[in-house]
Amino acid sequence: MSNILIAPSLLAADFANLQRDIEMVNASEADWFHIDVMDGHFVPNISFGMPVIEAINRHAKKPLDVHLMIEKPERYLAEFKKIGATNITVHYEACTHLHRTIQQIKDLGCLAGVVLNPATPVSVLEEILPDCEMVLLMSVNPGYGGQKFIESTYDKVRKLRRMIEEKGLNTLIEIDGGVNQETGQKLVEAGADILIAGSYVFGAKDPMQTIAGLKNIKR
C-alpha cells in the first residue's frame, strides 16, 4: 500500500450524537470505523453492546474494524459478524486456543487479527503470525481512551515489521492508543500500516481535516 489506513475510534465519539459522528467519518478520508468492545472483565471498562454496533452498521458506509477486549471472545464471533463486523481482532492474552479462534474468524469471512497489550512481546506471535491478516499493537493500556502514548511502541513496531518481512508475509500492523500527527508519522516510519485515532479526531475542532492530516502521512 502506498498510503496508510485510518480508522477513527468511535469510543471517543459523542454518544448523544452518534449518527452525526458516523456521517462525519463516512464523508471523511477515513478507511474504517474502529469499534472497541469492552466487557468490564478483561478490561475495567464497558463499552458498546451488540444493539449499538448493529445500529452503527446501518449508517456506516465503511468497514467496521471490531476490536474485542473481552474474555472468551470465541463465544461471540458469529454474532459480531452477523451485526456487521468486517474485521475482528482478539487479544492474545484473552484466548486460550488462539489458533482455533483465528480460524473461526476467517471461516466467518472476516479479516482476522491478534492484539497485543503493551507488556506482551511480539515474540509470542512466532507461531500464529502466518495465520494473521493483522496484528494490532496497543500503544496504551487497554480500557480507556485519551491515555498517553507508550514510547517503547516504536521499537515494538520495528521488531514486528522485521518478523513479518523475514517470514515473507503481508500481515498489516495496526496501532491503537495515543495516535496523533506526530506519533502517527513516527509509527508509519517504524512500519505501521493502520492508525487508530479516537480523542485526537473527535476532540478536534475540525475532525475531517484532522483525519485528512493523518491520511496524508507518507511512508
Side-chain angles (χ1 to χ4, degrees), residues 44-147:
N45 196 8
I46 297 173
S47 65
F48 303 99
M50 291 178 183
V52 175
I53 297 172
E54 190 171 22
I56 291 168
N57 188 50
R58 285 199 297 270
H59 298 284
K61 296 178 181 177
K62 298 177 180 184
L64 302 189
D65 183 41
V66 177
H67 172 194
L68 300 183
M69 297 186 232
I70 63 176
E71 294 179 353
K72 299 180 180 178
E74 65 277 0
R75 296 175 294 176
Y76 305 107
L77 297 175
E79 185 66 22
F80 281 112
K81 166 63 176 178
K82 182 180 177 182
I83 62 175
T86 305
N87 318 326
I88 300 177
T89 53
V90 295
H91 274 260
Y92 168 85
E93 303 87 358
C95 295
T96 305
H97 303 289
L98 181 58
H99 182 272
R100 181 186 299 163
T101 302
I102 291 296
Q103 293 307 314
Q104 281 182 260
I105 297 170
K106 288 185 168 186
D107 289 345
L108 289 168
C110 296
L111 291 182
V114 174
V115 190
L116 299 185
N117 282 339
T120 304
V122 295
S123 58
V124 302
L125 298 172
E126 184 68 34
E127 301 301 328
I128 195 67
L129 192 58
D131 297 290
C132 298
E133 286 146 326
M134 300 184 294
V135 174
L136 197 171
L137 298 180
M138 294 299 301
S139 43
V140 299
N141 287 294
Y144 296 97
Q147 297 182 66

Side-chain angles (χ1 to χ4, degrees), residues 167-189:
K167 292 179 180 292
L169 302 173
N170 295 315
T171 310
L172 300 173
I173 300 175
E174 188 171 16
I175 309 296
D176 188 0
V179 170
N180 56 34
Q181 196 71 28
E182 180 184 357
T183 59
Q185 180 66 57
K186 293 179 181 178
L187 287 164
V188 169
E189 289 171 0

